[in-house]
Amino acid sequence: QEDIVVDMIVFVDVFFFFFSSFFFFFLMIRRPPRSTLFPYTTLFRSEYEEWRKFYIKILKDFGFSEEEDLKAGKLLKNLLENQQRSGYEELEKLIKNKRVNIFGAGPVLESLKEIQEGTNIACDGATTFLMEIGIKPEIIVTDLDGKVEDQIEASENGSLVVIHAHGDNISSLKKYLPGFRKVIPTMQAEPVEG
C-alpha cells in the first residue's frame, strides 16, 4: 500500500508538471478573441523565453527535435482552421473553484473504489478506463496516445480535448484530429502565429 501511495505521489508530481505545461501552452496557438487588440501570441512570446530553458533541456534529455515540434504545431494550427476550437474560458469554467479529479493510465486505476464528484480530467489512456466504468471525462489531455477511438467518442459526447502537438505525433494528428469536436491546441515549442 505504501508503494502505491509513493507511486501515486510521483505520478501526480510528474503529471502536474506536464498538465501545467499543456494548460499554459494551449494559449500560444489559439486565435485571440476578436474583441482584443493584444494578440495572445505576443503576450506569451515573452513568457516563452522563460519556458525555453526547460524546453531545451527536454529536447536534449529525450532526443526530441525542435524543428519537428514546430512542424507539428503548425500542422495542428492548420488542421484546426475549419474545426471548432474551444478556449480558455470554457476550460476555466470547468476547473476554476471546483474539485478536479485527474486520472492517468496505470495500475492504480483498477483499485479505485469510488470517484468523488468533480470535474474529471483524463490523460490519454485513462479515458478508456473512465468510459468503461460509465464516466465521461469533462476534459481529456492527450498527445493522441492510448485508445484514441475512445477519446474521439468522449469528444463526440461533449468532452473538451486538449491536444498536444509534438514532433512524434504528426501522423496521429493527421489521422485523428478530424474526429474531435471541441479542441484546445497545445505545443511546447515557440508559439505559432494565428
Side-chain angles (χ1 to χ4, degrees):
Q1 180 123 13
E2 189 174 310
D3 289 340
I4 291 174
V5 172
V6 171
D7 288 345
M8 191 61 161
I9 290 170
V10 169
F11 166 75
V12 169
D13 285 345
V14 170
F15 174 75
F16 275 115
F17 169 76
F18 285 109
F19 181 75
S20 64
S21 297
F22 285 143
F23 189 71
F24 170 77
F25 288 102
F26 87 86
L27 292 170
M28 289 187 175
I29 60 175
R30 77 178 197 118
R31 283 185 204 141
R34 297 193 195 292
S35 62
T36 183
L37 298 174
F38 189 74
Y40 287 121
T41 51
T42 304
L43 174 65
F44 289 104
R45 282 196 189 285
S46 61
E47 293 183 9
Y48 173 76
E49 293 309 317
E50 292 178 38
W51 162 251
R52 184 160 176 77
K53 61 185 166 196
F54 298 105
Y55 175 55
I56 295 301
K57 183 166 177 26
I58 290 169
L59 289 173
K60 182 179 175 188
D61 289 349
F62 290 93
F64 295 155
S65 162
E66 183 172 13
E67 183 179 317
E68 289 296 303
D69 283 351
L70 287 168
K71 182 178 173 183
K74 289 175 184 174
L75 174 66
L76 179 57
K77 176 192 155 294
N78 292 334
L79 290 171
L80 288 174
E81 284 298 318
N82 298 316
Q83 196 166 339
Q84 179 184 358
R85 282 188 180 180
S86 294
Y88 176 80
E89 297 81 15
E90 186 172 355
L91 182 62
E92 185 176 45
K93 284 179 191 175
L94 288 169
I95 62 175
K96 187 174 183 180
N97 298 320
K98 295 189 178 172
R99 176 182 176 77
V100 175
N101 302 312
I102 301 170
F103 300 90
V108 174
L109 287 178
E110 301 297 326
S111 66
L112 286 176
K113 302 265 188 273
E114 67 178 84
I115 297 173
Q116 293 186 339
E117 191 172 320
T119 298
N120 295 311
I121 301 175
C123 300
D124 282 322
T127 304
T128 299
F129 168 79
L130 290 175
M131 291 178 65
E132 285 175 354
I133 62 170
I135 297 174
K136 178 195 71 130
E138 285 79 15
I139 301 167
I140 300 168
V141 179
T142 182
D143 63 351
L144 304 176
D145 288 342
K147 192 173 176 189
V148 179
E149 294 79 8
D150 287 346
Q151 297 168 24
I152 290 172
E153 181 182 335
S155 174
E156 290 170 349
N157 291 313
S159 294
L160 177 66
V161 184
V162 179
I163 297 180
H164 187 68
H166 56 77
D168 289 348
N169 72 346
I170 290 173
S171 62
S172 294
L173 290 169
K174 290 177 184 176
K175 180 177 180 180
Y176 295 114
L177 194 63
F180 287 96
R181 299 274 194 274
K182 299 185 298 182
V183 174
I184 295 176
T186 72
M187 62 183 294
Q188 60 202 16
E190 185 172 4
V192 173
E193 291 293 336

Short mmCIF file of all heavy atoms in Angstrom, two decimals, residues 82-137:
data_model
loop_
_atom_site.label_atom_id
_atom_site.label_comp_id
_atom_site.label_asym_id
_atom_site.label_seq_id
_atom_site.Cartn_x
_atom_site.Cartn_y
_atom_site.Cartn_z
N ASN A 82 -10.66 25.00 -39.86
CA ASN A 82 -12.10 24.89 -40.11
C ASN A 82 -12.79 24.00 -39.10
O ASN A 82 -13.85 23.44 -39.37
CB ASN A 82 -12.34 24.35 -41.54
CG ASN A 82 -11.80 25.28 -42.59
OD1 ASN A 82 -11.98 26.50 -42.49
ND2 ASN A 82 -11.10 24.73 -43.56
N GLN A 83 -12.20 23.87 -37.94
CA GLN A 83 -12.76 22.98 -36.92
C GLN A 83 -13.08 23.82 -35.69
O GLN A 83 -12.44 24.83 -35.42
CB GLN A 83 -11.73 21.90 -36.58
CG GLN A 83 -12.31 20.72 -35.85
CD GLN A 83 -11.35 19.55 -35.86
OE1 GLN A 83 -10.45 19.45 -36.68
NE2 GLN A 83 -11.54 18.64 -34.93
N GLN A 84 -14.06 23.35 -34.91
CA GLN A 84 -14.45 24.08 -33.71
C GLN A 84 -13.32 24.04 -32.68
O GLN A 84 -12.85 22.99 -32.29
CB GLN A 84 -15.71 23.46 -33.09
CG GLN A 84 -16.15 24.17 -31.83
CD GLN A 84 -17.34 23.48 -31.18
OE1 GLN A 84 -17.87 22.51 -31.69
NE2 GLN A 84 -17.75 24.00 -30.05
N ARG A 85 -12.89 25.22 -32.30
CA ARG A 85 -11.90 25.33 -31.24
C ARG A 85 -12.62 25.75 -29.97
O ARG A 85 -13.60 26.46 -30.02
CB ARG A 85 -10.87 26.41 -31.56
CG ARG A 85 -9.83 26.01 -32.54
CD ARG A 85 -8.80 27.10 -32.60
NE ARG A 85 -7.76 26.77 -33.54
CZ ARG A 85 -6.74 27.56 -33.77
NH1 ARG A 85 -6.63 28.71 -33.17
NH2 ARG A 85 -5.81 27.20 -34.62
N SER A 86 -12.11 25.31 -28.87
CA SER A 86 -12.61 25.78 -27.59
C SER A 86 -11.57 26.71 -27.03
O SER A 86 -10.47 26.81 -27.55
CB SER A 86 -12.86 24.60 -26.66
OG SER A 86 -13.89 23.80 -27.18
N GLY A 87 -11.89 27.36 -25.98
CA GLY A 87 -10.96 28.32 -25.45
C GLY A 87 -10.78 28.26 -23.96
O GLY A 87 -11.37 27.43 -23.27
N TYR A 88 -9.96 29.16 -23.53
CA TYR A 88 -9.60 29.27 -22.13
C TYR A 88 -10.85 29.43 -21.26
O TYR A 88 -10.94 28.84 -20.19
CB TYR A 88 -8.66 30.46 -21.95
CG TYR A 88 -8.29 30.75 -20.53
CD1 TYR A 88 -7.32 30.01 -19.88
CD2 TYR A 88 -8.94 31.76 -19.82
CE1 TYR A 88 -6.98 30.27 -18.57
CE2 TYR A 88 -8.62 32.02 -18.51
CZ TYR A 88 -7.64 31.28 -17.89
OH TYR A 88 -7.33 31.54 -16.59
N GLU A 89 -11.80 30.21 -21.73
CA GLU A 89 -12.99 30.49 -20.93
C GLU A 89 -13.76 29.21 -20.60
O GLU A 89 -14.21 29.01 -19.48
CB GLU A 89 -13.91 31.49 -21.65
CG GLU A 89 -13.30 32.85 -21.88
CD GLU A 89 -12.38 32.91 -23.10
OE1 GLU A 89 -12.41 31.99 -23.96
OE2 GLU A 89 -11.59 33.87 -23.20
N GLU A 90 -13.93 28.35 -21.59
CA GLU A 90 -14.64 27.10 -21.37
C GLU A 90 -13.87 26.19 -20.41
O GLU A 90 -14.44 25.58 -19.51
CB GLU A 90 -14.88 26.39 -22.69
CG GLU A 90 -15.74 25.16 -22.54
CD GLU A 90 -16.14 24.55 -23.87
OE1 GLU A 90 -15.84 25.12 -24.93
OE2 GLU A 90 -16.76 23.48 -23.82
N LEU A 91 -12.56 26.12 -20.60
CA LEU A 91 -11.73 25.32 -19.71
C LEU A 91 -11.79 25.87 -18.28
O LEU A 91 -11.94 25.11 -17.31
CB LEU A 91 -10.28 25.30 -20.21
CG LEU A 91 -9.29 24.47 -19.43
CD1 LEU A 91 -9.68 22.99 -19.45
CD2 LEU A 91 -7.89 24.64 -19.99
N GLU A 92 -11.71 27.18 -18.17
CA GLU A 92 -11.75 27.81 -16.86
C GLU A 92 -13.07 27.51 -16.14
O GLU A 92 -13.08 27.23 -14.94
CB GLU A 92 -11.56 29.32 -17.02
CG GLU A 92 -11.46 30.05 -15.69
CD GLU A 92 -11.18 31.52 -15.87
OE1 GLU A 92 -11.83 32.16 -16.73
OE2 GLU A 92 -10.32 32.04 -15.13
N LYS A 93 -14.19 27.53 -16.86
CA LYS A 93 -15.49 27.22 -16.24
C LYS A 93 -15.51 25.80 -15.67
O LYS A 93 -16.18 25.54 -14.67
CB LYS A 93 -16.61 27.36 -17.28
CG LYS A 93 -16.98 28.78 -17.59
CD LYS A 93 -18.08 28.81 -18.64
CE LYS A 93 -18.29 30.21 -19.15
NZ LYS A 93 -19.26 30.25 -20.26
N LEU A 94 -14.80 24.91 -16.33
CA LEU A 94 -14.80 23.52 -15.88
C LEU A 94 -13.92 23.27 -14.65
O LEU A 94 -14.15 22.30 -13.92
CB LEU A 94 -14.33 22.60 -17.01
CG LEU A 94 -15.31 22.42 -18.16
CD1 LEU A 94 -14.64 21.72 -19.34
CD2 LEU A 94 -16.53 21.63 -17.70
N ILE A 95 -12.91 24.13 -14.43
CA ILE A 95 -11.98 23.82 -13.33
C ILE A 95 -11.87 24.89 -12.25
O ILE A 95 -11.49 24.57 -11.12
CB ILE A 95 -10.57 23.49 -13.88
CG1 ILE A 95 -9.96 24.66 -14.63
CG2 ILE A 95 -10.61 22.24 -14.72
CD1 ILE A 95 -8.54 24.42 -15.08
N LYS A 96 -12.19 26.12 -12.56
CA LYS A 96 -11.98 27.19 -11.57
C LYS A 96 -12.91 27.03 -10.37
O LYS A 96 -14.12 26.89 -10.52
CB LYS A 96 -12.21 28.56 -12.21
CG LYS A 96 -11.85 29.71 -11.28
CD LYS A 96 -11.94 31.04 -11.97
CE LYS A 96 -11.49 32.14 -11.01
NZ LYS A 96 -11.57 33.43 -11.66
N ASN A 97 -12.31 27.02 -9.20
CA ASN A 97 -13.03 26.88 -7.93
C ASN A 97 -13.85 25.60 -7.84
O ASN A 97 -14.87 25.56 -7.19
CB ASN A 97 -13.94 28.10 -7.68
CG ASN A 97 -13.15 29.38 -7.58
OD1 ASN A 97 -12.07 29.42 -7.00
ND2 ASN A 97 -13.67 30.43 -8.18
N LYS A 98 -13.40 24.56 -8.51
CA LYS A 98 -14.10 23.28 -8.48
C LYS A 98 -13.14 22.17 -8.09
O LYS A 98 -11.94 22.28 -8.31
CB LYS A 98 -14.69 22.97 -9.86
CG LYS A 98 -15.76 23.95 -10.27
CD LYS A 98 -16.46 23.51 -11.50
CE LYS A 98 -17.54 24.53 -11.81
NZ LYS A 98 -18.16 24.31 -13.06
N ARG A 99 -13.70 21.12 -7.56
CA ARG A 99 -12.89 19.93 -7.28
C ARG A 99 -12.55 19.30 -8.63
O ARG A 99 -13.40 19.15 -9.50
CB ARG A 99 -13.67 18.93 -6.44
CG ARG A 99 -12.90 17.67 -6.23
CD ARG A 99 -13.67 16.64 -5.43
NE ARG A 99 -12.89 15.45 -5.36
CZ ARG A 99 -11.83 15.25 -4.57
NH1 ARG A 99 -11.45 16.21 -3.76
NH2 ARG A 99 -11.16 14.12 -4.57
N VAL A 100 -11.29 18.93 -8.81
CA VAL A 100 -10.83 18.34 -10.05
C VAL A 100 -10.21 16.98 -9.75
O VAL A 100 -9.34 16.87 -8.88
CB VAL A 100 -9.79 19.27 -10.75
CG1 VAL A 100 -9.22 18.60 -11.98
CG2 VAL A 100 -10.43 20.60 -11.11
N ASN A 101 -10.67 15.96 -10.45
CA ASN A 101 -10.10 14.62 -10.34
C ASN A 101 -9.26 14.37 -11.59
O ASN A 101 -9.79 14.44 -12.70
CB ASN A 101 -11.21 13.57 -10.25
CG ASN A 101 -12.15 13.80 -9.09
OD1 ASN A 101 -11.72 14.02 -7.97
ND2 ASN A 101 -13.44 13.77 -9.36
N ILE A 102 -7.99 14.07 -11.40
CA ILE A 102 -7.08 13.86 -12.53
C ILE A 102 -6.70 12.38 -12.58
O ILE A 102 -6.25 11.82 -11.59
CB ILE A 102 -5.82 14.74 -12.38
CG1 ILE A 102 -6.22 16.21 -12.33
CG2 ILE A 102 -4.84 14.48 -13.52
CD1 ILE A 102 -5.11 17.15 -11.95
N PHE A 103 -6.89 11.79 -13.76
CA PHE A 103 -6.64 10.37 -13.93
C PHE A 103 -5.58 10.13 -14.99
O PHE A 103 -5.71 10.61 -16.11
CB PHE A 103 -7.93 9.64 -14.37
CG PHE A 103 -9.05 9.79 -13.38
CD1 PHE A 103 -9.94 10.84 -13.48
CD2 PHE A 103 -9.19 8.88 -12.35
CE1 PHE A 103 -10.97 10.99 -12.57
CE2 PHE A 103 -10.22 9.01 -11.42
CZ PHE A 103 -11.12 10.08 -11.53
N GLY A 104 -4.55 9.40 -14.63
CA GLY A 104 -3.53 8.97 -15.57
C GLY A 104 -3.60 7.46 -15.69
O GLY A 104 -3.97 6.77 -14.73
N ALA A 105 -3.30 6.94 -16.85
CA ALA A 105 -3.37 5.49 -17.07
C ALA A 105 -2.33 4.79 -16.21
O ALA A 105 -1.18 5.22 -16.16
CB ALA A 105 -3.17 5.16 -18.54
N GLY A 106 -2.73 3.76 -15.54
CA GLY A 106 -1.81 3.00 -14.71
C GLY A 106 -2.57 1.99 -13.87
O GLY A 106 -3.80 2.04 -13.78
N PRO A 107 -1.85 1.07 -13.23
CA PRO A 107 -2.49 0.01 -12.47
C PRO A 107 -3.29 0.50 -11.26
O PRO A 107 -4.20 -0.18 -10.80
CB PRO A 107 -1.33 -0.88 -12.04
CG PRO A 107 -0.12 -0.03 -12.14
CD PRO A 107 -0.40 0.97 -13.21
N VAL A 108 -3.01 1.68 -10.76
CA VAL A 108 -3.72 2.21 -9.60
C VAL A 108 -5.19 2.44 -9.93
O VAL A 108 -6.06 2.31 -9.06
CB VAL A 108 -3.05 3.53 -9.11
CG1 VAL A 108 -3.85 4.17 -8.00
CG2 VAL A 108 -1.63 3.25 -8.67
N LEU A 109 -5.50 2.74 -11.18
CA LEU A 109 -6.90 2.98 -11.56
C LEU A 109 -7.80 1.80 -11.22
O LEU A 109 -8.94 1.98 -10.79
CB LEU A 109 -7.00 3.28 -13.06
CG LEU A 109 -6.49 4.63 -13.53
CD1 LEU A 109 -6.62 4.74 -15.04
CD2 LEU A 109 -7.24 5.77 -12.86
N GLU A 110 -7.29 0.59 -11.44
CA GLU A 110 -8.09 -0.61 -11.20
C GLU A 110 -8.52 -0.73 -9.75
O GLU A 110 -9.53 -1.37 -9.45
CB GLU A 110 -7.31 -1.86 -11.62
CG GLU A 110 -6.90 -1.87 -13.08
CD GLU A 110 -8.08 -1.88 -14.05
OE1 GLU A 110 -9.12 -2.49 -13.73
OE2 GLU A 110 -7.96 -1.28 -15.12
N SER A 111 -7.76 -0.14 -8.83
CA SER A 111 -8.07 -0.27 -7.40
C SER A 111 -9.01 0.82 -6.88
O SER A 111 -9.39 0.79 -5.72
CB SER A 111 -6.77 -0.27 -6.58
OG SER A 111 -6.14 0.99 -6.68
N LEU A 112 -9.41 1.75 -7.73
CA LEU A 112 -10.32 2.80 -7.29
C LEU A 112 -11.68 2.21 -6.93
O LEU A 112 -12.27 1.48 -7.72
CB LEU A 112 -10.51 3.86 -8.38
CG LEU A 112 -9.36 4.82 -8.63
CD1 LEU A 112 -9.68 5.72 -9.82
CD2 LEU A 112 -9.07 5.65 -7.40
N LYS A 113 -12.14 2.53 -5.73
CA LYS A 113 -13.44 2.02 -5.29
C LYS A 113 -14.56 3.00 -5.64
O LYS A 113 -15.66 2.61 -5.95
CB LYS A 113 -13.41 1.80 -3.77
CG LYS A 113 -12.32 0.83 -3.32
CD LYS A 113 -12.86 -0.56 -3.19
CE LYS A 113 -11.87 -1.48 -2.57
NZ LYS A 113 -10.97 -2.11 -3.48
N GLU A 114 -14.25 4.28 -5.55
CA GLU A 114 -15.24 5.30 -5.89
C GLU A 114 -14.51 6.55 -6.37
O GLU A 114 -13.33 6.74 -6.08
CB GLU A 114 -16.13 5.64 -4.70
CG GLU A 114 -15.39 6.33 -3.55
CD GLU A 114 -16.33 6.67 -2.41
OE1 GLU A 114 -16.57 5.78 -1.57
OE2 GLU A 114 -16.78 7.83 -2.37
N ILE A 115 -15.23 7.35 -7.13
CA ILE A 115 -14.67 8.60 -7.64
C ILE A 115 -15.51 9.73 -7.10
O ILE A 115 -16.74 9.73 -7.27
CB ILE A 115 -14.65 8.61 -9.18
CG1 ILE A 115 -13.72 7.49 -9.68
CG2 ILE A 115 -14.21 9.97 -9.71
CD1 ILE A 115 -13.75 7.28 -11.18
N GLN A 116 -14.86 10.66 -6.43
CA GLN A 116 -15.59 11.78 -5.85
C GLN A 116 -16.15 12.67 -6.95
O GLN A 116 -15.58 12.77 -8.05
CB GLN A 116 -14.68 12.58 -4.92
CG GLN A 116 -14.28 11.81 -3.68
CD GLN A 116 -13.49 12.66 -2.71
OE1 GLN A 116 -12.92 13.67 -3.07
NE2 GLN A 116 -13.48 12.23 -1.47
N GLU A 117 -17.25 13.33 -6.62
CA GLU A 117 -17.86 14.24 -7.59
C GLU A 117 -16.92 15.39 -7.87
O GLU A 117 -16.24 15.90 -6.99
CB GLU A 117 -19.18 14.77 -7.01
CG GLU A 117 -20.01 15.49 -8.03
CD GLU A 117 -21.38 15.84 -7.50
OE1 GLU A 117 -21.98 15.00 -6.79
OE2 GLU A 117 -21.84 16.96 -7.79
N GLY A 118 -16.84 15.78 -9.12
CA GLY A 118 -15.98 16.89 -9.53
C GLY A 118 -15.75 16.83 -11.02
O GLY A 118 -16.31 15.99 -11.73
N THR A 119 -14.91 17.72 -11.51
CA THR A 119 -14.53 17.73 -12.92
C THR A 119 -13.49 16.64 -13.13
O THR A 119 -12.46 16.63 -12.46
CB THR A 119 -13.96 19.10 -13.32
OG1 THR A 119 -14.98 20.09 -13.13
CG2 THR A 119 -13.51 19.10 -14.77
N ASN A 120 -13.77 15.72 -14.04
CA ASN A 120 -12.85 14.61 -14.29
C ASN A 120 -11.98 14.91 -15.50
O ASN A 120 -12.48 15.19 -16.58
CB ASN A 120 -13.64 13.32 -14.53
CG ASN A 120 -14.40 12.90 -13.29
OD1 ASN A 120 -13.83 12.85 -12.21
ND2 ASN A 120 -15.67 12.62 -13.44
N ILE A 121 -10.67 14.86 -15.28
CA ILE A 121 -9.69 15.08 -16.34
C ILE A 121 -8.95 13.77 -16.58
O ILE A 121 -8.36 13.21 -15.66
CB ILE A 121 -8.68 16.18 -15.96
CG1 ILE A 121 -9.40 17.50 -15.69
CG2 ILE A 121 -7.63 16.35 -17.07
CD1 ILE A 121 -8.49 18.62 -15.20
N ALA A 122 -9.02 13.30 -17.81
CA ALA A 122 -8.35 12.05 -18.18
C ALA A 122 -7.14 12.34 -19.04
O ALA A 122 -7.19 13.18 -19.94
CB ALA A 122 -9.31 11.14 -18.95
N CYS A 123 -6.05 11.66 -18.76
CA CYS A 123 -4.85 11.76 -19.58
C CYS A 123 -4.79 10.51 -20.46
O CYS A 123 -4.78 9.39 -19.95
CB CYS A 123 -3.60 11.81 -18.71
SG CYS A 123 -3.58 13.20 -17.62
N ASP A 124 -4.80 10.74 -21.77
CA ASP A 124 -4.67 9.67 -22.75
C ASP A 124 -5.49 8.43 -22.39
O ASP A 124 -6.70 8.46 -22.40
CB ASP A 124 -3.20 9.31 -22.97
CG ASP A 124 -2.49 10.31 -23.87
OD1 ASP A 124 -3.11 10.79 -24.83
OD2 ASP A 124 -1.32 10.60 -23.61
N GLY A 125 -4.80 7.34 -22.06
CA GLY A 125 -5.44 6.05 -21.84
C GLY A 125 -6.40 5.98 -20.69
O GLY A 125 -7.23 5.07 -20.63
N ALA A 126 -6.35 6.91 -19.76
CA ALA A 126 -7.30 6.91 -18.64
C ALA A 126 -8.72 7.18 -19.14
O ALA A 126 -9.69 6.85 -18.47
CB ALA A 126 -6.89 7.94 -17.60
N THR A 127 -8.84 7.76 -20.32
CA THR A 127 -10.16 7.99 -20.92
C THR A 127 -10.90 6.66 -21.07
O THR A 127 -12.09 6.55 -20.74
CB THR A 127 -10.01 8.66 -22.31
OG1 THR A 127 -9.25 9.85 -22.16
CG2 THR A 127 -11.35 8.96 -22.92
N THR A 128 -10.21 5.65 -21.57
CA THR A 128 -10.82 4.33 -21.76
C THR A 128 -11.31 3.77 -20.45
O THR A 128 -12.45 3.28 -20.34
CB THR A 128 -9.81 3.37 -22.43
OG1 THR A 128 -9.45 3.91 -23.70
CG2 THR A 128 -10.38 1.98 -22.60
N PHE A 129 -10.49 3.85 -19.41
CA PHE A 129 -10.88 3.34 -18.09
C PHE A 129 -12.15 4.03 -17.61
O PHE A 129 -13.10 3.37 -17.18
CB PHE A 129 -9.76 3.54 -17.07
CG PHE A 129 -10.20 3.30 -15.65
CD1 PHE A 129 -10.31 2.01 -15.17
CD2 PHE A 129 -10.52 4.35 -14.82
CE1 PHE A 129 -10.74 1.77 -13.87
CE2 PHE A 129 -10.95 4.13 -13.52
CZ PHE A 129 -11.06 2.84 -13.04
N LEU A 130 -12.19 5.35 -17.67
CA LEU A 130 -13.36 6.09 -17.18
C LEU A 130 -14.61 5.71 -17.97
O LEU A 130 -15.68 5.49 -17.39
CB LEU A 130 -13.11 7.59 -17.25
CG LEU A 130 -12.10 8.14 -16.25
CD1 LEU A 130 -11.84 9.62 -16.50
CD2 LEU A 130 -12.55 7.91 -14.82
N MET A 131 -14.49 5.62 -19.27
CA MET A 131 -15.64 5.28 -20.09
C MET A 131 -16.13 3.86 -19.80
O MET A 131 -17.34 3.60 -19.81
CB MET A 131 -15.32 5.47 -21.56
CG MET A 131 -15.14 6.95 -21.89
SD MET A 131 -14.71 7.27 -23.60
CE MET A 131 -16.19 6.70 -24.44
N GLU A 132 -15.21 2.96 -19.52
CA GLU A 132 -15.59 1.57 -19.21
C GLU A 132 -16.39 1.48 -17.91
O GLU A 132 -17.20 0.57 -17.75
CB GLU A 132 -14.36 0.67 -19.14
CG GLU A 132 -13.79 0.35 -20.51
CD GLU A 132 -12.49 -0.44 -20.46
OE1 GLU A 132 -11.93 -0.66 -19.35
OE2 GLU A 132 -12.02 -0.84 -21.54
N ILE A 133 -16.18 2.42 -16.99
CA ILE A 133 -16.95 2.40 -15.73
C ILE A 133 -18.10 3.42 -15.78
O ILE A 133 -18.70 3.73 -14.76
CB ILE A 133 -16.05 2.63 -14.49
CG1 ILE A 133 -15.37 4.00 -14.51
CG2 ILE A 133 -15.03 1.51 -14.36
CD1 ILE A 133 -14.68 4.36 -13.19
N GLY A 134 -18.39 3.92 -16.98
CA GLY A 134 -19.57 4.77 -17.17
C GLY A 134 -19.39 6.24 -16.85
O GLY A 134 -20.37 6.95 -16.62
N ILE A 135 -18.15 6.71 -16.85
CA ILE A 135 -17.90 8.13 -16.56
C ILE A 135 -17.30 8.79 -17.79
O ILE A 135 -16.29 8.33 -18.32
CB ILE A 135 -16.93 8.28 -15.36
CG1 ILE A 135 -17.58 7.71 -14.10
CG2 ILE A 135 -16.53 9.74 -15.16
CD1 ILE A 135 -16.68 7.67 -12.89
N LYS A 136 -17.94 9.88 -18.23
CA LYS A 136 -17.40 10.66 -19.35
C LYS A 136 -16.51 11.75 -18.76
O LYS A 136 -16.98 12.56 -17.96
CB LYS A 136 -18.52 11.30 -20.16
CG LYS A 136 -17.99 12.17 -21.31
CD LYS A 136 -19.07 13.08 -21.86
CE LYS A 136 -19.37 14.13 -20.87
NZ LYS A 136 -19.42 15.48 -21.18
N PRO A 137 -15.23 11.80 -19.11
CA PRO A 137 -14.39 12.88 -18.60
C PRO A 137 -14.82 14.22 -19.21
O PRO A 137 -15.16 14.29 -20.38
CB PRO A 137 -12.98 12.49 -19.05
CG PRO A 137 -13.18 11.56 -20.20
CD PRO A 137 -14.50 10.89 -20.00
#
